Amino acid sequence: MQEATEVAIIGGGVIGLAIALQLATGGREVMVIEPNEPGSGASYGNAGTIADYAVIPVGTPAVLRNLPSLLFDRDSPLAIRRSALPALMPWLLRFAWQSQPAQAARNAAKLARLLSGASEAWRELAGEAGATDLMRQNGCLYLYASADAFHAAASEIALRKRHGIEQAFLTAAEVAALEPGLPAFEGGGVFFPDALHLSDPGEMMRRLANAAASAGVRFLRTKAEALVRTGAAVHLRIGTGEVWARTVVIAAGAHSKQLAAQAGDRVPLDTERGYHVEFDMEQPPVSRPVCPTARGFYLVPMQHRLRVAGTVELGGLTAPPDPRRIALLERGARELLPSLGSPARTWLGFRPSMPDSVPVIRPSRGGDNVILAFGHGHLGLTLAPATARIVADLVTGRTDPANLVAFSN
Ligand SMILES: Cc1cc2nc3c(=O)[nH]c(=O)nc-3n(C[C@H](O)[C@H](O)[C@H](O)COP(=O)(O)OP(=O)(O)OC[C@H]3O[C@@H](n4cnc5c(N)ncnc54)[C@H](O)[C@@H]3O)c2cc1C
């Protein structure tokens, strides 16, 4: 099979789908190459938060100080598979470097820049996808088990304040009034009052894919195997044949590294694996995403279920799920909500993660007929519509790539 298109997007996760819809509604001829159900990767199982408040990168001086205990304590929200340690070392060294005070502050500034229009861009995208019914605006809550834990978060709170993030400080009693289903959090909470979340990320992906198809996007159910520039065009070898495109966008999430290398970009992309467990119920016991910060997961009310999603496991793309990580999530949820039954389902997904938490959104260094759009780490859902706008501006030549250094890798 031989196909030709103006723009070929590799990867139909939330990033690829948002880009496809944006370009197609702007009149471009677009094809999405995706071997699986669109939106069934990391974009399906996340915590659903549109976290425009989350300007703090994963790597900070505090995380760096605690890294050894975080990595090797079995019950820590951050774990590493020992067998993966040698392969991960270059990424970990870069991560440690990026966790120093000046680097972390610079990375926060880049994220803040990208996040500033994220919620507004999501409202618009959800409108285009006929999916505003899946958006909730109940805010989001970070919770602290003790006054000491709250004080330990002072530098993060100050950094968010510096970037103009609206945050309210709640006493334990105020937290209890807002979320009466939870046990006491003596250290109180930080409340982001305007934060949005999705009541069903999987359903949102289905609507985005349908809206893209209605706008004329063609979906090829196959894998992009190799990318080669040939004159003014880009040639893709796909499972069942080949595709010629004027522009290719690499949006294959955590799987983007090899394709980027073929385009001429050595990018230190790896994955932070994350898990979820879900408990089916009519009325979830929380009414907004709630993050008990020490545990590294969110409790999120979704349609007819409670999703408990998060934690980080460094361990590459091929190892099977670790039942101990799933048990940790389940145990953590039950310690807060003892009446939870058994989870109805569990899930492992692959965050596409850069050592500095800053995504890669720019033309390839090998030539601007390939555009890179991956590496969104913990914020890919949040940043998809904002990324789509930037990529569309690059494709149409409306933006000067020199501006991208303010928020991209
Ligand atoms: C537990 C967890 C909780 C999270 N919570 C949040 C949250 O609350 N808010 C938030 O903003 N973010 C969150 N995230 C992060 C977010 O889910 C990701 O950053 C985002 O989904 C990445 O989107 P993507 O499109 O880049 O990747 P994906 O959704 O993984 O999509 C990439 C797609 O590319 C396809 N692909 C791979 N290789 C090829 C190839 N060679 N050819 C063609 N296609 C290919 C894959 O099949 C896949 O469908 C969370 C992640 C996890 C794991």
Side-chain angles (χ1 to χ4, degrees), residues 294-342:
R295 296 181 186 266
F297 62 65
Y298 276 102
L299 304 164
V300 191
M302 293 201 174
Q303 307 237 36
H304 311 304
R305 63 203 194 275
L306 175 75
R307 179 176 286 183
V308 183
T311 69
V312 168
E313 181 191 33
L314 300 173
L317 290 165
T318 51
D322 183 343
R324 289 169 305 185
R325 302 304 294 167
I326 292 169
L328 179 73
L329 270 186
E330 194 182 332
R331 198 167 63 241
R334 206 167 280 115
E335 277 166 14
L336 299 171
L337 299 162
S339 64
L340 288 175
S342 297

mmCIF file of all heavy atoms in Angstrom, residues 294-342:
data_model
loop_
_atom_site.group_PDB
_atom_site.id
_atom_site.type_symbol
_atom_site.label_atom_id
_atom_site.label_comp_id
_atom_site.label_asym_id
_atom_site.label_seq_id
_atom_site.Cartn_x
_atom_site.Cartn_y
_atom_site.Cartn_z
ATOM 1 N N ALA A 294 1.966 12.781 50.054
ATOM 2 C CA ALA A 294 3.028 11.835 50.404
ATOM 3 C C ALA A 294 2.881 10.528 49.648
ATOM 4 O O ALA A 294 3.838 9.767 49.522
ATOM 5 C CB ALA A 294 3.005 11.564 51.900
ATOM 6 N N ARG A 295 1.684 10.248 49.130
ATOM 7 C CA ARG A 295 1.450 8.938 48.511
ATOM 8 C C ARG A 295 1.673 8.946 46.996
ATOM 9 O O ARG A 295 1.692 7.893 46.364
ATOM 10 C CB ARG A 295 0.025 8.480 48.809
ATOM 11 C CG ARG A 295 -0.212 8.254 50.297
ATOM 12 C CD ARG A 295 -1.616 7.789 50.549
ATOM 13 N NE ARG A 295 -1.920 7.707 51.966
ATOM 14 C CZ ARG A 295 -1.805 6.598 52.689
ATOM 15 N NH1 ARG A 295 -1.392 5.490 52.132
ATOM 16 N NH2 ARG A 295 -2.101 6.605 53.970
ATOM 17 N N GLY A 296 1.747 10.122 46.398
ATOM 18 C CA GLY A 296 2.069 10.187 44.964
ATOM 19 C C GLY A 296 0.969 9.706 44.052
ATOM 20 O O GLY A 296 1.227 9.292 42.921
ATOM 21 N N PHE A 297 -0.273 9.707 44.521
ATOM 22 C CA PHE A 297 -1.375 9.373 43.614
ATOM 23 C C PHE A 297 -2.540 10.330 43.827
ATOM 24 O O PHE A 297 -2.579 11.080 44.809
ATOM 25 C CB PHE A 297 -1.833 7.915 43.766
ATOM 26 C CG PHE A 297 -2.377 7.514 45.128
ATOM 27 C CD1 PHE A 297 -3.542 8.057 45.656
ATOM 28 C CD2 PHE A 297 -1.713 6.540 45.883
ATOM 29 C CE1 PHE A 297 -4.042 7.663 46.890
ATOM 30 C CE2 PHE A 297 -2.201 6.143 47.133
ATOM 31 C CZ PHE A 297 -3.363 6.710 47.625
ATOM 32 N N TYR A 298 -3.435 10.328 42.849
ATOM 33 C CA TYR A 298 -4.677 11.087 42.948
ATOM 34 C C TYR A 298 -5.839 10.110 43.164
ATOM 35 O O TYR A 298 -5.865 9.029 42.554
ATOM 36 C CB TYR A 298 -4.981 11.798 41.628
ATOM 37 C CG TYR A 298 -4.324 13.135 41.384
ATOM 38 C CD1 TYR A 298 -3.218 13.242 40.552
ATOM 39 C CD2 TYR A 298 -4.866 14.302 41.922
ATOM 40 C CE1 TYR A 298 -2.647 14.485 40.272
ATOM 41 C CE2 TYR A 298 -4.292 15.543 41.652
ATOM 42 C CZ TYR A 298 -3.196 15.627 40.835
ATOM 43 O OH TYR A 298 -2.641 16.853 40.546
ATOM 44 N N LEU A 299 -6.806 10.509 43.983
ATOM 45 C CA LEU A 299 -8.116 9.861 44.014
ATOM 46 C C LEU A 299 -9.005 10.723 43.130
ATOM 47 O O LEU A 299 -9.134 11.925 43.383
ATOM 48 C CB LEU A 299 -8.699 9.872 45.430
ATOM 49 C CG LEU A 299 -7.868 9.249 46.548
ATOM 50 C CD1 LEU A 299 -8.413 9.688 47.909
ATOM 51 C CD2 LEU A 299 -7.915 7.731 46.438
ATOM 52 N N VAL A 300 -9.595 10.129 42.107
ATOM 53 C CA VAL A 300 -10.348 10.960 41.156
ATOM 54 C C VAL A 300 -11.761 10.397 40.952
ATOM 55 O O VAL A 300 -11.915 9.205 40.624
ATOM 56 C CB VAL A 300 -9.643 11.019 39.780
ATOM 57 C CG1 VAL A 300 -10.280 12.097 38.905
ATOM 58 C CG2 VAL A 300 -8.167 11.301 39.944
ATOM 59 N N PRO A 301 -12.774 11.249 41.126
ATOM 60 C CA PRO A 301 -14.127 10.778 40.849
ATOM 61 C C PRO A 301 -14.349 10.719 39.343
ATOM 62 O O PRO A 301 -14.164 11.704 38.649
ATOM 63 C CB PRO A 301 -15.009 11.866 41.491
ATOM 64 C CG PRO A 301 -14.171 13.111 41.469
ATOM 65 C CD PRO A 301 -12.736 12.676 41.519
ATOM 66 N N MET A 302 -14.689 9.529 38.829
ATOM 67 C CA MET A 302 -14.986 9.399 37.394
ATOM 68 C C MET A 302 -16.368 8.777 37.239
ATOM 69 O O MET A 302 -17.012 8.429 38.238
ATOM 70 C CB MET A 302 -13.899 8.570 36.713
ATOM 71 C CG MET A 302 -12.564 9.302 36.719
ATOM 72 S SD MET A 302 -11.412 8.726 35.489
ATOM 73 C CE MET A 302 -10.093 9.941 35.699
ATOM 74 N N GLN A 303 -16.830 8.671 35.979
ATOM 75 C CA GLN A 303 -18.187 8.159 35.748
ATOM 76 C C GLN A 303 -18.325 6.772 36.363
ATOM 77 O O GLN A 303 -17.664 5.847 35.910
ATOM 78 C CB GLN A 303 -18.449 8.023 34.245
ATOM 79 C CG GLN A 303 -18.177 9.294 33.486
ATOM 80 C CD GLN A 303 -19.391 9.761 32.723
ATOM 81 O OE1 GLN A 303 -20.504 9.615 33.198
ATOM 82 N NE2 GLN A 303 -19.182 10.326 31.555
ATOM 83 N N HIS A 304 -19.171 6.649 37.358
ATOM 84 C CA HIS A 304 -19.502 5.373 38.000
ATOM 85 C C HIS A 304 -18.286 4.653 38.580
ATOM 86 O O HIS A 304 -18.277 3.432 38.683
ATOM 87 C CB HIS A 304 -20.204 4.419 37.007
ATOM 88 C CG HIS A 304 -21.330 5.086 36.292
ATOM 89 N ND1 HIS A 304 -22.375 5.698 36.961
ATOM 90 C CD2 HIS A 304 -21.573 5.277 34.970
ATOM 91 C CE1 HIS A 304 -23.206 6.215 36.087
ATOM 92 N NE2 HIS A 304 -22.736 6.000 34.872
ATOM 93 N N ARG A 305 -17.253 5.411 38.920
ATOM 94 C CA ARG A 305 -16.098 4.738 39.524
ATOM 95 C C ARG A 305 -15.169 5.742 40.192
ATOM 96 O O ARG A 305 -15.214 6.943 39.897
ATOM 97 C CB ARG A 305 -15.317 3.937 38.477
ATOM 98 C CG ARG A 305 -14.699 4.752 37.362
ATOM 99 C CD ARG A 305 -14.475 3.855 36.146
ATOM 100 N NE ARG A 305 -13.606 4.446 35.154
ATOM 101 C CZ ARG A 305 -14.045 5.288 34.192
ATOM 102 N NH1 ARG A 305 -15.318 5.649 34.133
ATOM 103 N NH2 ARG A 305 -13.197 5.774 33.312
ATOM 104 N N LEU A 306 -14.332 5.210 41.081
ATOM 105 C CA LEU A 306 -13.240 5.994 41.660
ATOM 106 C C LEU A 306 -11.959 5.467 41.032
ATOM 107 O O LEU A 306 -11.693 4.262 41.058
ATOM 108 C CB LEU A 306 -13.182 5.776 43.177
ATOM 109 C CG LEU A 306 -11.999 6.456 43.873
ATOM 110 C CD1 LEU A 306 -12.222 7.968 43.986
ATOM 111 C CD2 LEU A 306 -11.773 5.870 45.273
ATOM 112 N N ARG A 307 -11.185 6.376 40.434
ATOM 113 C CA ARG A 307 -9.887 5.970 39.878
ATOM 114 C C ARG A 307 -8.786 6.449 40.829
ATOM 115 O O ARG A 307 -8.793 7.611 41.234
ATOM 116 C CB ARG A 307 -9.689 6.573 38.483
ATOM 117 C CG ARG A 307 -8.341 6.212 37.870
ATOM 118 C CD ARG A 307 -8.190 6.739 36.447
ATOM 119 N NE ARG A 307 -8.984 5.974 35.493
ATOM 120 C CZ ARG A 307 -8.977 6.193 34.174
ATOM 121 N NH1 ARG A 307 -8.201 7.159 33.675
ATOM 122 N NH2 ARG A 307 -9.721 5.481 33.366
ATOM 123 N N VAL A 308 -7.873 5.551 41.150
ATOM 124 C CA VAL A 308 -6.711 5.901 41.980
ATOM 125 C C VAL A 308 -5.502 5.769 41.059
ATOM 126 O O VAL A 308 -5.149 4.656 40.642
ATOM 127 C CB VAL A 308 -6.598 4.944 43.190
ATOM 128 C CG1 VAL A 308 -5.438 5.361 44.077
ATOM 129 C CG2 VAL A 308 -7.911 4.925 43.972
ATOM 130 N N ALA A 309 -4.900 6.898 40.697
ATOM 131 C CA ALA A 309 -3.910 6.881 39.608
ATOM 132 C C ALA A 309 -2.664 7.646 40.003
ATOM 133 O O ALA A 309 -2.748 8.718 40.605
ATOM 134 C CB ALA A 309 -4.511 7.507 38.346
ATOM 135 N N GLY A 310 -1.510 7.084 39.648
ATOM 136 C CA GLY A 310 -0.271 7.829 39.853
ATOM 137 C C GLY A 310 0.896 6.925 40.151
ATOM 138 O O GLY A 310 0.971 5.801 39.676
ATOM 139 N N THR A 311 1.787 7.387 40.999
ATOM 140 C CA THR A 311 3.087 6.800 41.347
ATOM 141 C C THR A 311 3.995 6.711 40.112
ATOM 142 O O THR A 311 3.517 6.801 38.982
ATOM 143 C CB THR A 311 2.978 5.396 42.023
ATOM 144 O OG1 THR A 311 2.517 4.443 41.085
ATOM 145 C CG2 THR A 311 2.090 5.432 43.250
ATOM 146 N N VAL A 312 5.277 6.545 40.396
ATOM 147 C CA VAL A 312 6.259 6.483 39.308
ATOM 148 C C VAL A 312 7.118 5.242 39.494
ATOM 149 O O VAL A 312 7.595 4.973 40.599
ATOM 150 C CB VAL A 312 7.161 7.741 39.316
ATOM 151 C CG1 VAL A 312 8.355 7.549 38.381
ATOM 152 C CG2 VAL A 312 6.374 8.978 38.923
ATOM 153 N N GLU A 313 7.278 4.499 38.423
ATOM 154 C CA GLU A 313 8.196 3.364 38.429
ATOM 155 C C GLU A 313 9.133 3.538 37.238
ATOM 156 O O GLU A 313 8.669 3.622 36.091
ATOM 157 C CB GLU A 313 7.409 2.052 38.289
ATOM 158 C CG GLU A 313 8.293 0.823 38.321
ATOM 159 C CD GLU A 313 7.532 -0.442 37.916
ATOM 160 O OE1 GLU A 313 6.620 -0.366 37.068
ATOM 161 O OE2 GLU A 313 7.865 -1.502 38.456
ATOM 162 N N LEU A 314 10.428 3.621 37.513
ATOM 163 C CA LEU A 314 11.394 3.704 36.418
ATOM 164 C C LEU A 314 11.756 2.272 36.045
ATOM 165 O O LEU A 314 12.235 1.520 36.894
ATOM 166 C CB LEU A 314 12.625 4.496 36.872
ATOM 167 C CG LEU A 314 12.314 5.939 37.300
ATOM 168 C CD1 LEU A 314 13.552 6.604 37.904
ATOM 169 C CD2 LEU A 314 11.808 6.761 36.130
ATOM 170 N N GLY A 315 11.495 1.901 34.793
ATOM 171 C CA GLY A 315 11.698 0.484 34.460
ATOM 172 C C GLY A 315 11.520 0.171 32.990
ATOM 173 O O GLY A 315 11.373 -0.991 32.635
ATOM 174 N N GLY A 316 11.487 1.179 32.149
ATOM 175 C CA GLY A 316 11.470 0.927 30.709
ATOM 176 C C GLY A 316 10.099 0.536 30.177
ATOM 177 O O GLY A 316 9.102 0.508 30.897
ATOM 178 N N LEU A 317 10.096 0.247 28.874
ATOM 179 C CA LEU A 317 8.828 0.090 28.143
ATOM 180 C C LEU A 317 8.368 -1.357 28.005
ATOM 181 O O LEU A 317 7.234 -1.598 27.598
ATOM 182 C CB LEU A 317 8.993 0.674 26.728
ATOM 183 C CG LEU A 317 9.122 2.195 26.649
ATOM 184 C CD1 LEU A 317 9.636 2.619 25.278
ATOM 185 C CD2 LEU A 317 7.783 2.854 26.949
ATOM 186 N N THR A 318 9.248 -2.318 28.355
ATOM 187 C CA THR A 318 8.873 -3.698 28.007
ATOM 188 C C THR A 318 8.519 -4.574 29.208
ATOM 189 O O THR A 318 7.825 -5.577 29.035
ATOM 190 C CB THR A 318 10.022 -4.379 27.224
ATOM 191 O OG1 THR A 318 11.223 -4.210 27.968
ATOM 192 C CG2 THR A 318 10.181 -3.764 25.845
ATOM 193 N N ALA A 319 8.972 -4.221 30.409
ATOM 194 C CA ALA A 319 8.707 -5.093 31.570
ATOM 195 C C ALA A 319 7.203 -5.138 31.865
ATOM 196 O O ALA A 319 6.498 -4.149 31.661
ATOM 197 C CB ALA A 319 9.466 -4.570 32.790
ATOM 198 N N PRO A 320 6.712 -6.280 32.344
ATOM 199 C CA PRO A 320 5.284 -6.380 32.656
ATOM 200 C C PRO A 320 4.941 -5.538 33.897
ATOM 201 O O PRO A 320 5.837 -5.091 34.611
ATOM 202 C CB PRO A 320 5.100 -7.876 32.954
ATOM 203 C CG PRO A 320 6.447 -8.340 33.379
ATOM 204 C CD PRO A 320 7.450 -7.511 32.634
ATOM 205 N N PRO A 321 3.654 -5.313 34.153
ATOM 206 C CA PRO A 321 3.270 -4.571 35.363
ATOM 207 C C PRO A 321 3.810 -5.276 36.613
ATOM 208 O O PRO A 321 3.898 -6.493 36.643
ATOM 209 C CB PRO A 321 1.738 -4.625 35.341
ATOM 210 C CG PRO A 321 1.343 -5.040 33.972
ATOM 211 C CD PRO A 321 2.495 -5.758 33.365
ATOM 212 N N ASP A 322 4.171 -4.492 37.619
ATOM 213 C CA ASP A 322 4.653 -5.052 38.876
ATOM 214 C C ASP A 322 3.478 -5.122 39.855
ATOM 215 O O ASP A 322 2.960 -4.080 40.270
ATOM 216 C CB ASP A 322 5.772 -4.155 39.428
ATOM 217 C CG ASP A 322 6.377 -4.732 40.706
ATOM 218 O OD1 ASP A 322 5.739 -5.614 41.323
ATOM 219 O OD2 ASP A 322 7.475 -4.288 41.085
ATOM 220 N N PRO A 323 3.060 -6.337 40.238
ATOM 221 C CA PRO A 323 1.897 -6.452 41.133
ATOM 222 C C PRO A 323 2.103 -5.714 42.450
ATOM 223 O O PRO A 323 1.136 -5.270 43.074
ATOM 224 C CB PRO A 323 1.770 -7.966 41.368
ATOM 225 C CG PRO A 323 2.795 -8.629 40.544
ATOM 226 C CD PRO A 323 3.644 -7.612 39.855
ATOM 227 N N ARG A 324 3.364 -5.551 42.876
ATOM 228 C CA ARG A 324 3.602 -4.833 44.155
ATOM 229 C C ARG A 324 3.251 -3.362 44.031
ATOM 230 O O ARG A 324 2.807 -2.736 44.985
ATOM 231 C CB ARG A 324 5.077 -4.974 44.563
ATOM 232 C CG ARG A 324 5.440 -6.379 45.021
ATOM 233 C CD ARG A 324 6.913 -6.554 45.157
ATOM 234 N NE ARG A 324 7.599 -6.211 43.892
ATOM 235 C CZ ARG A 324 8.889 -6.360 43.677
ATOM 236 N NH1 ARG A 324 9.675 -6.808 44.627
ATOM 237 N NH2 ARG A 324 9.421 -6.043 42.509
ATOM 238 N N ARG A 325 3.435 -2.802 42.843
ATOM 239 C CA ARG A 325 3.068 -1.380 42.656
ATOM 240 C C ARG A 325 1.550 -1.227 42.667
ATOM 241 O O ARG A 325 1.008 -0.249 43.166
ATOM 242 C CB ARG A 325 3.643 -0.832 41.344
ATOM 243 C CG ARG A 325 5.145 -0.918 41.198
ATOM 244 C CD ARG A 325 5.911 -0.251 42.314
ATOM 245 N NE ARG A 325 5.750 1.199 42.359
ATOM 246 C CZ ARG A 325 6.123 1.952 43.388
ATOM 247 N NH1 ARG A 325 6.663 1.402 44.463
ATOM 248 N NH2 ARG A 325 5.952 3.258 43.360
ATOM 249 N N ILE A 326 0.858 -2.212 42.083
ATOM 250 C CA ILE A 326 -0.606 -2.170 42.080
ATOM 251 C C ILE A 326 -1.125 -2.338 43.513
ATOM 252 O O ILE A 326 -2.021 -1.618 43.958
ATOM 253 C CB ILE A 326 -1.155 -3.264 41.135
ATOM 254 C CG1 ILE A 326 -0.786 -2.889 39.690
ATOM 255 C CG2 ILE A 326 -2.662 -3.424 41.287
ATOM 256 C CD1 ILE A 326 -1.008 -3.977 38.676
ATOM 257 N N ALA A 327 -0.483 -3.275 44.250
ATOM 258 C CA ALA A 327 -0.903 -3.504 45.644
ATOM 259 C C ALA A 327 -0.678 -2.248 46.483
ATOM 260 O O ALA A 327 -1.488 -1.924 47.368
ATOM 261 C CB ALA A 327 -0.127 -4.685 46.221
ATOM 262 N N LEU A 328 0.400 -1.519 46.188
ATOM 263 C CA LEU A 328 0.686 -0.290 46.941
ATOM 264 C C LEU A 328 -0.426 0.744 46.745
ATOM 265 O O LEU A 328 -0.893 1.375 47.699
ATOM 266 C CB LEU A 328 2.035 0.282 46.471
ATOM 267 C CG LEU A 328 2.491 1.569 47.130
ATOM 268 C CD1 LEU A 328 2.955 1.303 48.566
ATOM 269 C CD2 LEU A 328 3.640 2.215 46.341
ATOM 270 N N LEU A 329 -0.872 0.891 45.501
ATOM 271 C CA LEU A 329 -1.959 1.833 45.220
ATOM 272 C C LEU A 329 -3.247 1.415 45.931
ATOM 273 O O LEU A 329 -3.935 2.233 46.549
ATOM 274 C CB LEU A 329 -2.261 1.858 43.716
ATOM 275 C CG LEU A 329 -1.550 2.828 42.810
ATOM 276 C CD1 LEU A 329 -2.145 2.752 41.407
ATOM 277 C CD2 LEU A 329 -1.661 4.258 43.319
ATOM 278 N N GLU A 330 -3.522 0.101 45.838
ATOM 279 C CA GLU A 330 -4.758 -0.411 46.420
ATOM 280 C C GLU A 330 -4.736 -0.225 47.942
ATOM 281 O O GLU A 330 -5.715 0.246 48.534
ATOM 282 C CB GLU A 330 -4.871 -1.894 46.043
ATOM 283 C CG GLU A 330 -6.236 -2.458 46.280
ATOM 284 C CD GLU A 330 -6.298 -3.947 45.953
ATOM 285 O OE1 GLU A 330 -5.522 -4.429 45.097
ATOM 286 O OE2 GLU A 330 -7.126 -4.622 46.571
ATOM 287 N N ARG A 331 -3.609 -0.562 48.551
ATOM 288 C CA ARG A 331 -3.482 -0.434 50.002
ATOM 289 C C ARG A 331 -3.604 1.032 50.414
ATOM 290 O O ARG A 331 -4.310 1.373 51.359
ATOM 291 C CB ARG A 331 -2.122 -0.998 50.429
ATOM 292 C CG ARG A 331 -2.022 -1.322 51.887
ATOM 293 C CD ARG A 331 -0.799 -2.155 52.208
ATOM 294 N NE ARG A 331 0.475 -1.495 51.925
ATOM 295 C CZ ARG A 331 1.387 -1.928 51.064
ATOM 296 N NH1 ARG A 331 1.168 -3.013 50.358
ATOM 297 N NH2 ARG A 331 2.517 -1.274 50.876
ATOM 298 N N GLY A 332 -2.937 1.908 49.649
ATOM 299 C CA GLY A 332 -2.985 3.339 49.977
ATOM 300 C C GLY A 332 -4.404 3.868 49.913
ATOM 301 O O GLY A 332 -4.840 4.641 50.764
ATOM 302 N N ALA A 333 -5.142 3.438 48.897
ATOM 303 C CA ALA A 333 -6.530 3.901 48.756
ATOM 304 C C ALA A 333 -7.369 3.390 49.923
ATOM 305 O O ALA A 333 -8.178 4.125 50.501
ATOM 306 C CB ALA A 333 -7.102 3.404 47.432
ATOM 307 N N ARG A 334 -7.138 2.126 50.303
ATOM 308 C CA ARG A 334 -7.970 1.547 51.366
ATOM 309 C C ARG A 334 -7.625 2.132 52.730
ATOM 310 O O ARG A 334 -8.489 2.187 53.604
ATOM 311 C CB ARG A 334 -7.828 0.030 51.345
ATOM 312 C CG ARG A 334 -9.060 -0.609 51.916
ATOM 313 C CD ARG A 334 -9.191 -2.089 51.690
ATOM 314 N NE ARG A 334 -9.678 -2.427 50.377
ATOM 315 C CZ ARG A 334 -8.977 -3.079 49.464
ATOM 316 N NH1 ARG A 334 -7.747 -3.438 49.723
ATOM 317 N NH2 ARG A 334 -9.501 -3.369 48.306
ATOM 318 N N GLU A 335 -6.383 2.580 52.915
ATOM 319 C CA GLU A 335 -6.044 3.228 54.195
ATOM 320 C C GLU A 335 -6.831 4.526 54.358
ATOM 321 O O GLU A 335 -7.171 4.928 55.458
ATOM 322 C CB GLU A 335 -4.537 3.502 54.265
ATOM 323 C CG GLU A 335 -3.753 2.262 54.713
ATOM 324 C CD GLU A 335 -2.250 2.379 54.488
ATOM 325 O OE1 GLU A 335 -1.763 3.512 54.241
ATOM 326 O OE2 GLU A 335 -1.582 1.339 54.530
ATOM 327 N N LEU A 336 -7.118 5.181 53.237
ATOM 328 C CA LEU A 336 -7.890 6.428 53.313
ATOM 329 C C LEU A 336 -9.392 6.154 53.300
ATOM 330 O O LEU A 336 -10.166 6.888 53.915
ATOM 331 C CB LEU A 336 -7.529 7.333 52.129
ATOM 332 C CG LEU A 336 -6.062 7.770 52.060
ATOM 333 C CD1 LEU A 336 -5.773 8.462 50.734
ATOM 334 C CD2 LEU A 336 -5.745 8.705 53.217
ATOM 335 N N LEU A 337 -9.784 5.127 52.569
ATOM 336 C CA LEU A 337 -11.212 4.830 52.384
ATOM 337 C C LEU A 337 -11.421 3.335 52.661
ATOM 338 O O LEU A 337 -11.468 2.519 51.734
ATOM 339 C CB LEU A 337 -11.623 5.176 50.947
ATOM 340 C CG LEU A 337 -11.445 6.639 50.546
ATOM 341 C CD1 LEU A 337 -11.452 6.808 49.029
ATOM 342 C CD2 LEU A 337 -12.552 7.489 51.157
ATOM 343 N N PRO A 338 -11.521 2.962 53.960
ATOM 344 C CA PRO A 338 -11.517 1.532 54.319
ATOM 345 C C PRO A 338 -12.673 0.740 53.724
ATOM 346 O O PRO A 338 -12.573 -0.482 53.599
ATOM 347 C CB PRO A 338 -11.617 1.563 55.852
ATOM 348 C CG PRO A 338 -11.223 2.937 56.263
ATOM 349 C CD PRO A 338 -11.548 3.853 55.129
ATOM 350 N N SER A 339 -13.753 1.411 53.322
ATOM 351 C CA SER A 339 -14.899 0.616 52.850
ATOM 352 C C SER A 339 -14.780 0.236 51.364
ATOM 353 O O SER A 339 -15.689 -0.395 50.819
ATOM 354 C CB SER A 339 -16.195 1.386 53.089
ATOM 355 O OG SER A 339 -16.159 2.557 52.311
ATOM 356 N N LEU A 340 -13.677 0.602 50.717
ATOM 357 C CA LEU A 340 -13.528 0.226 49.299
ATOM 358 C C LEU A 340 -13.471 -1.296 49.178
ATOM 359 O O LEU A 340 -12.791 -1.961 49.976
ATOM 360 C CB LEU A 340 -12.230 0.817 48.729
ATOM 361 C CG LEU A 340 -12.198 2.318 48.495
ATOM 362 C CD1 LEU A 340 -10.789 2.740 48.040
ATOM 363 C CD2 LEU A 340 -13.229 2.745 47.461
ATOM 364 N N GLY A 341 -14.145 -1.840 48.169
ATOM 365 C CA GLY A 341 -14.063 -3.290 47.933
ATOM 366 C C GLY A 341 -12.804 -3.627 47.143
ATOM 367 O O GLY A 341 -11.777 -2.955 47.269
ATOM 368 N N SER A 342 -12.906 -4.624 46.286
ATOM 369 C CA SER A 342 -11.748 -4.977 45.452
ATOM 370 C C SER A 342 -11.775 -4.131 44.186
ATOM 371 O O SER A 342 -12.862 -3.801 43.690
ATOM 372 C CB SER A 342 -11.830 -6.435 45.022
ATOM 373 O OG SER A 342 -11.782 -7.231 46.150
#
